[in-house]
Amino acid sequence: MIVDRLRKGDEVEVLTGKDRSKRGTIMKVLPKEGKVIVEGVNVAKKHQRQTKARVKGGIIDKDMPVSSSSVALVCPKDGAVRIGFEFKTEGDRRTKVRVCRVCGREL
Ligand SMILES: [Zn+2]
């Protein structure tokens, strides 16, 4: 079973680049590119042309993808942490879960 290191809705902290130490929620995971889109991170100003559908042209903010290796999952207790995987048994079901490498809590 594959458990993704990062999922939509995760809170992450940026480790590198201009948004270093900024936190945000993952809006989208792009597995093929190995990237994630994090709310408010790597924001690009996009110029929009005026069209019939869009009455007002102008500049809009757009969250651009960042490499998934440049963000770390945030543990509520420890902040940005490395994660590990563990198997958890519930009845006859064995599931793989993500855990904080520092405190061991399931993330
Ligand atoms: Zn922790």
Side-chain angles (χ1 to χ4, degrees):
M1 190 213 309
I2 298 163
V3 174
D4 297 328
R5 201 174 68 88
L6 297 167
R7 295 182 206 134
K8 187 180 172 183
D10 283 344
E11 195 193 354
V12 292
E13 186 171 314
V14 182
L15 303 174
T16 58
K18 67 177 166 80
D19 289 322
R20 192 164 171 245
S21 80
K22 210 184 238 186
R23 285 186 187 185
T25 305
I26 294 181
M27 307 308 288
K28 199 173 183 184
V29 180
L30 309 165
K32 276 186 196 156
E33 290 103 295
K35 292 184 173 180
V36 291
I37 295 175
V38 184
E39 189 178 23
V41 168
N42 200 19
V43 178
K45 302 271 182 205
K46 286 243 166 178
H47 293 266
Q48 270 194 337
R49 207 175 296 227
Q50 193 169 329
T51 62
K52 271 181 194 161
R54 215 182 293 121
V55 186
K56 251 178 86 181
I59 300 167
I60 56 152
D61 289 344
K62 194 171 191 307
D63 300 337
M64 300 302 287
V66 293
S67 168
S68 58
S69 62
S70 67
V71 299
L73 207 57
V74 172
C75 168
K77 185 168 159 278
D78 307 303
V81 292
R82 285 179 177 279
I83 58 158
F85 292 102
E86 249 173 36
F87 284 102
K88 201 170 104 180
T89 311
E90 276 174 41
D92 343 325
R93 281 218 321 211
R94 211 165 145 229
T95 51
K96 201 175 174 186
V97 295
R98 302 180 304 182
V99 294
C100 168
R101 284 263 191 92
V102 181
C103 68
R105 108 170 36 207
E106 191 181 329
L107 295 172

